[in-house]
Amino acid sequence: MTESDWQVLRRFHGHLGPWLILGIKIGQAALAAVKARKHFGVEVVAAWPDAPPPSCAVDGLQWGTGATYGKRNLRLEPSERFEVLVRNTDTGEAVRTVLLPTTPGLLRRLLEAYGDEDSSMRVWDMADEELYRIERMAQ
C-alpha cells in the first residue's frame, strides 16, 4: 500500500490498527480466491466478536471486498468464533476464512508492544498463512 492508501484508511476508520489490517487482508484474499467482483459481486458474512478491537476487522472486510452493510452484502453475526464466509454472487463459489488459534493473541501483543500504526504495518507485511487459513466451500 502507498502512504496515500494508509491516509485514506485512517480517515475511513479513524485510525489504523492490526485488526483493521487483518480484515483487509482476509477480504482481499477471499475475494481473489472466489474471483468475485468487488462491491457488487460478493457477499460477506462474518461470525466474529462484536466489540473492538476485534470488530474493527469488519471495517477491514468492507474495505477489502467492497461489500457494505448499506448494500446488504456485508453481515456481522456476533460470535466468539473468528470466521468469515465470502461468496461470489455470480457463480456461488465460496470460501471460509478461519483465524489461526494464535492470531488473536498475536494481534493483542503487537498492539500492546508497538501501538496502532506500527502493529498495522507489521500485520500488513505478514504472510497470510501466519494469520489465517482459507477453505473452499462445497457448492
Side-chain angles (χ1 to χ4, degrees):
M1 275 204 279
T2 67
E3 182 54 37
S4 64
D5 293 329
W6 292 109
Q7 291 296 339
V8 171
L9 273 174
R10 284 182 194 96
R11 284 194 305 274
F12 167 71
H13 185 69
H15 67 102
L16 295 179
W19 288 96
L20 173 69
I21 302 307
L22 175 67
I24 293 170
K25 289 175 69 91
I26 289 171
Q28 289 177 340
L31 194 72
V34 297
K35 299 177 182 75
R37 291 180 294 119
K38 191 171 184 176
H39 303 287
F40 295 100
V42 63
E43 176 182 52
V44 179
V45 179
W48 205 267
D50 190 18
S55 61
C56 295
V58 179
D59 279 357
L61 290 170
Q62 179 174 310
W63 184 271
T65 65
T68 65
Y69 176 80
K71 290 194 304 283
R72 310 309 289 171
N73 62 346
L74 172 64
R75 192 169 77 240
L76 171 64
E77 295 178 351
S79 173
E80 293 303 309
R81 297 186 330 258
F82 291 91
E83 298 180 5
V84 179
L85 176 70
V86 174
R87 186 174 65 86
N88 180 323
T89 58
D90 296 321
T91 66
E93 186 176 0
V95 293
R96 181 175 76 117
T97 303
V98 180
L99 290 193
L100 299 180
T102 55
T103 300
L106 170 66
L107 296 188
R108 184 177 54 254
R109 288 188 304 278
L110 287 171
L111 188 55
E112 289 169 359
Y114 301 104
D116 287 349
E117 295 277 327
D118 197 33
S119 64
S120 296
M121 305 302 173
R122 289 171 185 265
V123 171
W124 182 255
D125 289 338
M126 292 178 75
D128 295 348
E129 298 78 22
E130 296 178 77
L131 300 165
Y132 57 85
R133 70 179 189 275
I134 295 180
E135 307 165 346
R136 295 222 173 266
M137 305 292 292
Q139 287 190 25

